[in-house]
Amino acid sequence: MYVIGLTGGVGSGKTEAAHMLAQIADAPILLADELGHLAMEPGTEGYQQIIAAFGKMVVGEDGSILRNRLAQIVFQDEQKLQQLNDIVHPVVKKYLKEYIEERKNQDGYIILESAIMFETGCDAFCDEVWYIYVPADVRKARLGESRGYSEDKSEQIIRQQLSEDEFRKRCSRTVSNAGSLEMLRKELQQTFTLVQNDKAL
């Protein structure tokens, strides 16, 4: 298995790009952010740690973690966010490692998407990482339309993430998503063809 990682800043459409690339490559897709729920399943160690850290107020009547309530708490407090990340990230990384290792001798591709690919060390699971690039002003406009974010809020989130230069330096390839979805698909197809050609050499 050849693992292609996708990352990029907020509002870059990297999850959409990951789904498209998975179709193009006929590959399974791993979305690191969505896998965070594994640490919140009742009966798991992560579940117990979250309750110990945040209290019963984040638990619903059915015993499940109330993710919206948890999100409200951590996004107002950086220390709490770090506390949650320290619980969730190891669980996600363990799952990714086991999933990839179980399939490493098979043919084909795996698409791994993560907003914090390098910060969490998930790039270690990838054979290469692509940067989904969109100019900051376009990302702010999209975040305003899709999530209702103010320009100040978008700017604040963007400043907390890796810079464009840092993304370009750390990633093997760059794919632009500044245009239409059709243009994105074309860019992904062209870049994937380059990967296939490089592997064939």
Side-chain angles (χ1 to χ4, degrees):
M1 278 291 187
Y2 192 83
V3 183
I4 299 175
L6 265 65
T7 193
V10 64
S12 61
K14 56 192 170 295
T15 304
E16 181 76 43
H19 281 290
M20 277 190 188
L21 183 57
Q23 288 179 338
I24 291 166
D26 190 23
I29 182 171
L30 297 168
L31 303 174
D33 290 353
E34 288 190 6
L35 292 172
H37 70 82
L38 294 170
M40 301 183 191
E41 291 179 359
T44 63
E45 186 181 346
Y47 176 86
Q48 298 298 338
Q49 288 178 333
I50 288 169
I51 294 174
F54 298 95
K56 296 279 188 183
M57 63 183 292
V58 298
V59 182
E61 289 181 11
D62 62 354
S64 64
I65 300 286
L66 299 169
R67 290 194 226 172
N68 287 344
R69 188 172 294 175
L70 190 58
Q72 285 174 346
I73 294 169
V74 301
F75 287 123
Q76 293 172 1
D77 186 331
E78 278 190 33
Q79 203 169 359
K80 294 279 189 188
L81 177 59
Q82 188 58 54
Q83 200 173 4
L84 180 62
N85 286 341
D86 289 343
I87 296 169
V88 172
H89 289 165
V91 175
V92 173
K93 285 181 73 174
K94 182 173 182 284
Y95 177 87
L96 291 172
K97 184 180 179 185
E98 289 175 355
Y99 184 97
I100 291 166
E101 281 188 352
E102 283 172 9
R103 294 158 178 80
K104 65 182 178 182
N105 295 322
Q106 299 174 16
D107 291 331
Y109 297 85
I110 292 173
I111 309 305
L112 167 57
E113 183 266 336
S114 174
I116 44 177
M117 180 75 73
F118 300 105
E119 295 91 330
T120 56
C122 285
D123 58 305
F125 303 131
C126 304
D127 292 289
E128 60 178 79
V129 180
W130 299 5
Y131 171 38
I132 306 302
Y133 165 71
V134 178
D137 58 338
V138 177
R139 288 158 59 199
K140 288 178 197 173
R142 288 180 181 175
L143 288 167
E145 290 170 17
S146 63
R147 304 188 198 178
Y149 287 1
S150 67
E151 189 167 341
D152 284 348
K153 182 170 183 176
S154 296
E155 181 68 42
Q156 185 182 5
I157 297 169
I158 288 170
R159 277 202 306 268
Q160 290 173 342
Q161 298 182 325
L162 294 180
S163 67
E164 181 188 330
D165 286 347
E166 195 66 27
F167 272 122
R168 287 183 185 274
K169 191 162 62 177
R170 294 194 184 197
C171 293
S172 313
R173 306 173 199 266
T174 298
V175 174
S176 173
N177 184 23
S180 66
L181 289 176
E182 189 180 332
M183 289 168 69
L184 172 61
R185 184 177 290 278
K186 188 175 178 183
E187 283 252 355
L188 289 167
Q189 181 65 68
Q190 288 174 342
T191 309
F192 181 63
T193 300
L194 289 174
V195 172
Q196 290 177 303
N197 292 341
D198 288 349
K199 284 184 68 191
L201 293 176

